[in-house]
Structures are given as structure tokens and as C-alpha cells.
Amino acid sequence: MRRFSTLAAVAALAFAANAAAEQPAGFWTTPTIEGYGKIHYLPNSAYKPDPRQTYKIVFALTQAAKAPDQVNPALDRVARTVNLYVAAGVPLKNLKFVAVASGAATQLVLDDAHYQAAFKTANPNLPLIEKLRKAGVDVAVCAQAVAEHDFQYEWVDKHVTTALSALTTVTTLEHQGYDLMAL
């Protein structure tokens, strides 16, 4: 029985890998935040956002990327969220998004010079942060986390807002009607 389960698991993994490889060109798109947050939009799916409403979301980014030369996956999910809402017809002006980095995610906000000094590679998050800013997303960092990591406040990239703390940012925005999305 155990051998059958192992074989079934291996077969399922092989099928999943093969299915992913057979996706046609254009299956995944990044319609608004170009190059980030890929989506596969289904126009007839359920629970689509209402294009007439305004959506207020605060994203709590707390995890680091697997490697310093990779985009933080939580930040990429913020881009995915923007892409999904806009693909569903919600205009950018109706998206009130704030992404606040803290904990292990704090390093993603460093300017390139200080990121390179710390990790020996360019900060891969900065182009995405700039694109999110252009889409109206406020990318912020917890000032307490900056201090805890022994970073200087002037090392924070110019496209990032320095917030008093992630704790107060989340609770303040929740009091203003934002929904929390922990990433």
C-alpha cells in the first residue's frame, strides 16, 4: 500500500510538471504591473471584484525572498493583486493599496547601494517598487524594523514611505476601512 502511495505521488508530480510545461504562450500575463505578478484571468469566473467599488487593502509583508537576488514573493503578490483587480475592470483609481514591509522582509526597501553592500547583488525589488508606485500603491517600511536590522533610515529607497511601525500602520488603516492581507 505504501509503495502504491509513493508511485501515485510521483505520477501526480510528473503530471503537474508536464501540464505546466504545456501551457500556451500568453497563458500567464502581467497586464498592469508589467513583468510582475503574473495572472491567468478567467472572465467568467466567480467572485470577481465590482468595478464600481473602491478596494482598500493593507498588505503585511513579513517574509524574505529565498535568495537576495530574487524579488520578494510577497511584493510580487501585491503586483498580482493589482493585475487581477484591473483585469476584472476595477480602475487603478479605485485601488487604495498599502504594502508595509517588516521583519524578514525589511531588506527589500534598501536603496541599491546599501543593498549591494549588504548582499553583493543589486536590489531586485526596486524596479517592482517603482512600478507599484506608478500604479498608486504605497510601499512602506516599518521604522522599528529598520532600526532592529541596524539599517539607517537614509538607506531606505526614495520610493518607499517610512512608517512609524507595521503594527500601527496595519491597525490605523484597518480603522480607516482597509482589509488586511498578510503575505
Side-chain angles (χ1 to χ4, degrees), residues 61-65 72 102-108 149:
L61 317 178
T62 60
Q63 302 298 313
N72 184 292
S102 65
T106 305
Q107 64 201 32
L108 72 87
H149 283 82

Side-chain angles (χ1 to χ4, degrees), residues 101-137:
S102 65
T106 305
Q107 64 201 32
L108 72 87
V109 304
L110 291 177
D111 65 28
D112 206 47
H114 292 95
Y115 195 91
Q116 286 209 28
F119 303 107
K120 311 299 181 220
T121 185
N123 186 343
N125 301 291
L126 296 180
L128 174 53
I129 290 171
E130 188 173 345
K131 288 183 178 192
L132 288 170
R133 277 286 190 190
K134 286 181 181 173
V137 176

Side-chain angles (χ1 to χ4, degrees), residues 53-116:
Q53 290 195 5
T54 295
Y55 293 90
K56 299 164 77 174
I57 301 174
V58 56
F59 299 88
L61 317 178
T62 60
Q63 302 298 313
K66 289 182 181 175
D69 63 342
Q70 296 178 356
V71 171
N72 184 292
L75 194 63
D76 192 64
R77 288 181 134 191
V78 174
R80 175 178 273 187
T81 307
V82 172
N83 285 332
L84 285 167
Y85 274 88
V86 174
V90 179
L92 281 175
K93 68 179 180 63
N94 288 9
L95 300 179
K96 309 300 180 196
F97 288 179
V98 177
V100 59
S102 65
T106 305
Q107 64 201 32
L108 72 87
V109 304
L110 291 177
D111 65 28
D112 206 47
H114 292 95
Y115 195 91
Q116 286 209 28

Side-chain angles (χ1 to χ4, degrees), residues 101-103 106-107 109-110 141-156 162-166:
S102 65
T106 305
Q107 64 201 32
V109 304
L110 291 177
V141 65
C142 170
Q144 310 310 302
V146 171
E148 284 181 356
H149 283 82
D150 294 322
F151 299 148
Q152 301 298 309
Y153 295 113
E154 57 269 18
W155 298 357
V156 174
T162 301
L164 174 61
S165 71

